[in-house]
Amino acid sequence: MAKDTLSVTDNRTGKTYELKIENGCIRAPELRTIKTGPEDFGLMAYDPAFLNTANCKSAITFIDGDKGILEYRGYPIEQLAEKSTHLEVSYLLMNGELPTKKQLEEFTHIITHHTYVHENIKQFMDGFRYDAHPMSMLASTVAALSSFYPEAKNVKSKEIRRIQMMRLIAKMPTLAAFSYRHSQGLPYIYPNNDLSYVENFLTMVKSIGRTNFKPHPALVKALDILFILHADHEQNCSTTSVRVVGSSEVDPYSAVTAGITALFGPLHGGANEAVLRMLREIGDKKNIPDFIKRVKGGDGTKLMGFGHRVYKNYDPRAKVIKKACDEVFEVTGKNPLLEIAIELERIALQDEYFVSRKLYPNVDFYSGLIYEAMGFPVDFFTNLFAIPRTVGWVSQWEEMITDSEQKIARPRQVFTGARKRDYLAADKR
Ligand code: ACO
């Protein structure tokens, strides 16, 4: 009868070991029993960048990259994008179930009433240069929040954890909007409790010279959809950073700061910006074949917004965003780069190079076009990612804190440097 085990023969010793297989994994620490002798530390797994290592069990987000499936707590992303709101999805991610009407009202009330930040935060913002990157400002001010809520270090208390998680979700749009206003030399706009989460954010960013500013409902809806699509994506670089830093039991503001700084990198949250630059460089549909030739020529040019470590099929988020584009452009007028993007996608999806490598549009291929059409500067795109990802970060952080199998994260290394040698005085080196 088939057994859920793996038999491994160590050819150094001829010994055979039987390792348990659970959830399609072996437990890496069990490899340590495989030794050449009592002095041997035991076998380790070498896996730079965690290509094939599960760092946790998680019940939050499911991805099947081959089939192009993304689900939050079992709900397909397409259904959530069509029927839900970012705050409802936030409740779902944090609690595992969709809220009842009353639960959603309570949750919305709490989030709405924690959107203000301490007045001193404005002074931190003012301390940045006029051209500071909005992500640097966001990361620094979120880190500073930890000093305003010293009780947040009690990470074992559910009650204390929960209020910080909701504060982070509530304050992130305020801090992002303040960073935008600072970079534009505009006065900060305070949150307005009469507005929805997304309306409030757009108002804090966009309102100039009017007390009755109201963002267009179609734009509010589109941004809400984009927020839903970006809310979580299991163990990506920034989420893993939050888990690793949080595993030291530091407060969640400090842990989430690690997520923001990881997201800042161009290989993670910065790709939508690169897509816009690429489309501008192509400039016209007639230049697409030449551009594709360059990508295939191997000079290092990439078709930005294509390809994904996990999705080897159409990124389900890209499909939803493509649809949202039409609704946004009806209000803002068409972004002339859209036609180039659509044609580029059409040609690439028929090309043997992209087909054989399973390269499909990812979430960033169309999102930058929407952000630009909404009037956001390219520098601000990653803040627009960090706001909704906050709920993913805090939900994953709490899952880690409450997981009895987790400990402080501390990988092993394969040491390749020099061993013990005697110190030499400077004149002898
Ligand atoms: N354009 C052209 N060729 C590509 C692209 C691309 N966008 N992406 C991958 N390839 C090629 C690689 O050169 C490689 O070819 P080879 O087998 O001939 O050497 C093959 O496809 C496999 O690609 P890998 O680099 O092994 O894929 P990996 O999983 O390491 O990288 C990544 C994934 C980083 C997303 C990559 O596809 C890429 O750089 N894409 C463009 C940047 C981008 O859009 N990033 C956003 C990702 S979504 C997000 O983070 C929110």
Side-chain angles (χ1 to χ4, degrees):
M1 207 174 83
K3 285 208 289 184
D4 281 339
T5 61
L6 176 74
S7 293
V8 186
T9 302
D10 184 348
N11 293 324
R12 299 170 301 177
T13 59
K15 273 199 204 163
T16 296
Y17 300 81
E18 194 174 352
L19 308 176
K20 243 189 284 153
I21 298 178
E22 207 185 327
N23 305 308
C25 298
I26 57 160
R27 284 186 177 258
E30 283 194 12
L31 295 174
R32 292 272 297 281
T33 57
I34 303 178
K35 297 180 179 206
T36 51
E39 296 292 297
D40 187 356
F41 178 77
L43 205 63
M44 295 193 295
Y46 176 60
D47 187 10
F50 309 118
L51 292 196
N52 196 37
T53 296
N55 173 45
C56 61
K57 290 179 183 160
S58 181
I60 300 175
T61 290
F62 173 81
I63 301 176
D64 183 327
D66 290 327
K67 297 201 178 106
I69 294 173
L70 169 60
E71 294 166 1
Y72 296 159
R73 301 283 190 184
Y75 294 98
I77 193 68
E78 296 83 355
Q79 286 187 31
L80 293 171
E82 189 190 333
K83 299 182 177 152
S84 190
T85 62
H86 180 62
L87 279 195
E88 190 177 60
V89 165
S90 298
Y91 184 98
L92 171 69
L93 287 168
M94 277 175 63
N95 298 290
E97 296 297 334
L98 284 167
T100 60
K101 204 165 165 282
K102 185 160 171 282
Q103 285 167 333
L104 182 59
E105 275 168 15
E106 278 167 15
F107 184 70
T108 305
H109 182 87
I110 297 172
I111 298 292
T112 307
H113 288 82
H114 282 93
T115 47
Y116 268 63
V117 290
H118 194 285
E119 281 292 287
N120 288 3
I121 292 279
K122 286 197 322 197
Q123 289 159 25
F124 293 152
M125 284 284 176
D126 289 341
F128 284 100
R129 270 172 55 139
Y130 69 95
D131 59 352
H133 197 287
M135 278 298 274
S136 307
M137 292 192 255
L138 189 65
S140 313
T141 44
V142 170
L145 286 183
S146 126
S147 68
F148 290 90
Y149 304 107
E151 78 277 15
K153 65 177 185 295
N154 298 313
V155 298
K156 300 284 180 189
S157 154
K158 179 169 183 185
E159 200 189 330
I160 292 177
R161 266 198 321 265
R162 286 273 150 158
I163 190 68
Q164 319 312 322
M165 290 163 74
M166 290 191 280
R167 276 184 178 137
L168 273 158
I169 295 168
K171 294 184 199 309
M172 203 62 86
T174 312
L175 294 173
F178 279 18
S179 72
Y180 173 86
R181 303 290 289 198
H182 177 78
S183 62
Q184 302 291 311
L186 290 166
Y188 307 119
I189 306 274
Y190 286 103
N192 179 342
N193 291 356
D194 295 331
L195 302 177
S196 75
Y197 190 75
V198 176
E199 274 180 317
N200 183 40
F201 169 63
L202 281 174
T203 305
M204 288 190 288
V205 169
K206 296 278 181 189
S207 175
I208 303 173
R210 283 167 62 186
T211 47
N212 60 348
F213 173 86
K214 231 148 156 51
H216 195 290
L219 301 188
V220 173
K221 177 73 191 147
L223 195 57
D224 205 17
I225 290 173
L226 283 161
F227 278 7
I228 291 170
L229 299 180
H230 286 89
D232 193 46
H233 211 231
E234 51 118 311
Q235 310 313 315
N236 55 82
C237 176
S238 57
T239 302
T240 300
S241 307
V242 172
R243 278 183 175 262
V244 168
V245 172
S247 76
S248 73
E249 297 188 1
V250 72
D251 69 87
Y253 302 101
S254 304
V256 165
T257 303
I260 298 172
T261 51
L263 190 68
F264 194 2
L267 294 188
H268 192 6
N272 46 20
E273 190 180 326
V275 172
L276 274 197
R277 266 191 259 113
M278 174 190 73
L279 294 175
R280 278 200 199 105
E281 189 196 319
I282 295 173
D284 195 292
K285 280 201 285 189
K286 71 176 189 317
N287 300 327
I288 292 175
D290 275 350
F291 179 76
I292 297 271
K293 235 188 252 163
R294 241 174 72 202
V295 172
K296 291 169 24 179
D299 72 350
T301 307
K302 275 191 175 172
L303 175 46
M304 297 310 288
F306 259 63
H308 197 278
R309 173 62 57 78
V310 178
Y311 294 117
K312 301 300 170 197
N313 200 323
Y314 216 102
D315 180 338
R317 300 168 299 174
K319 263 189 210 156
V320 178
I321 292 184
K322 199 173 167 190
K323 230 171 99 200
C325 276
D326 296 334
E327 279 135 46
V328 170
F329 294 150
E330 222 156 85
V331 178
T332 61
K334 220 181 212 165
N335 187 329
L337 299 178
L338 178 68
E339 279 192 12
I340 301 177
I342 289 175
E343 183 63 3
L344 193 53
E345 179 191 328
R346 193 187 66 78
I347 293 179
L349 290 182
Q350 290 174 358
D351 192 296
E352 154 63 19
Y353 175 95
F354 298 93
V355 173
S356 63
R357 288 169 177 76
K358 298 188 177 169
L359 301 172
Y360 291 85
N362 60 48
V363 68
D364 290 318
F365 194 65
Y366 288 105
S367 62
L369 290 172
I370 296 193
Y371 294 147
E372 186 173 72
M374 285 181 166
F376 292 115
V378 167
D379 259 8
F380 195 58
F381 287 3
T382 318
N383 283 40
L384 294 167
F385 191 155
I387 295 169
R389 183 52 61 86
T390 301
V391 65
W393 290 330
V394 295
S395 303
Q396 299 265 353
W397 167 77
E398 187 179 52
E399 193 180 59
M400 180 271 304
I401 288 287
T402 52
D403 180 347
S404 60
E405 280 197 291
Q406 290 292 338
K407 289 173 181 289
I408 186 166
R410 205 314 186 175
R412 296 274 171 188
Q413 65 168 7
V414 176
F415 181 71
T416 60
R419 287 300 317 279
K420 183 174 177 300
R421 44 187 176 163
D422 289 328
Y423 180 82
L424 275 183
D427 60 346
K428 301 251 163 51
R429 288 172 211 159

